[in-house]
Amino acid sequence: MRRNGHMSAVRRFFCLFVTFDLLFTCLMWLIIILLNGDDIVSALSKQIVRYDIHTSLFDIVMAAASRFIFLLLFYGFLYICHWWVIALTTAGTCAFLIGKVFLYSWTSANQPVFQVLLVLISFVLSWGEAWFFDFQVLPHELQAMEYMQAFSSCPESERAPLLRNYLQNLHRIDDYTESIGNFYSPVDSPQNSDDEDTRISGAGGRGSLQDMKYRREGQEVLEVSWRMLNSPDWKLERETAEGDTVYSKKMPHVGKVLKLTGIVDFPPDQLLNELFSNVENIPNWNPSILEVRTVQVIDAHTDINYQVAKEAGGGIVSSRDFVILRHWEMRDQCYISAGISIKHPNVPPVKQYVRGDNGPTCWVMRPIAGDENRCIFQWLLNVDLKGWLPHSVVESALTTTMLDHLRYMREYTEKLKQQRQCK
């Protein structure tokens, strides 16, 4: 997002791409005219001074220069956020190149292959600019703006200032990522342990500045996800024979989120313990999770872990990994475990997996009146899997993953109950 008047990273890359378009076109044009055997002065004179649309390729360079001027003027200096300029430059370039193909005297060219490549490359670059701006720049900047404004219209309450700080700090995390290492030190290994403990906790105990930031963000993420879960107007997406339901809702400042609801024959406090404290055990009973590793323990209610999800949708959606800040609390007698993706210096992205992005999300265990051995399990899922996947495929895969998780969890808790009965 744009901060302190500086251009967003994704828009800056777009401007660099437009500059590359102009420089690459110029370079290839120079190579082509010099391959004709003329010296540079004679070649430039033929192409520019004695310009003829039938024999000169200088107009393709001018088309690239026009795109460069218009796109940097409107998107770099004026900073507009609409697609009409890129649509105009792309349409104009395509129309010109199509006309050029019919008017250019291809038989007079010594090596027409290079001329053909120049035309095709100009065509591809212009469409590449349109694609990148419409599918990368606009969506990313819109998402950043929506997160910043997500709760600006909420009525004031004792939590409202905290929520606004949370939304701002999510986008300022890059500002202090480099100094995070100063606040960490490794946890001592347990006595008589032969294995290293890879978890880390904040040096200085609860007073660590970084730990305080993580703890505060965890509390605010829980507040946000709890509000989202209990908001009205959900749409039913799928219902199983067991009565499990998956609802969806398009939230104006977040996007489409999913909500799973089902009954689990297990006490809510013990289920929270399995999902939060014993989170590293989840891959043993849920085959859709390849790895869960605790990266840092903040306190008894807050930690950071690393998760790797197995490919889904029959391999259409490849494996994703996540770095998640988690926090749990009790609200209205419900046990809530909330989380959100963050950046952490100890867990950089790896080439093996696509790094996914979890928005405010949570698991909720609601007690059932008169039955302390059962609970209503709810899962609010707000995730961006990244990559270029059809929305219908992603939503179907996510819905199936949620229902599978509930089924695996029931099987696991049933085994736990049987083991306890045997003891």
Side-chain angles (χ1 to χ4, degrees), residues 95-110:
F96 162 71
L97 292 176
I98 292 173
K100 183 71 175 180
V101 168
F102 288 102
L103 295 176
Y104 188 73
S105 178
W106 299 101
T107 56
S108 63
N110 294 334

Side-chain angles (χ1 to χ4, degrees), residues 40 56 77 101 103 130 159-160 174 274 295 330 346 376:
I40 185 65
S56 177
F77 293 98
V101 168
L103 295 176
R159 295 287 301 179
D174 288 337
E274 294 298 328
V295 177
M330 285 194 67
N346 287 44
I376 299 174

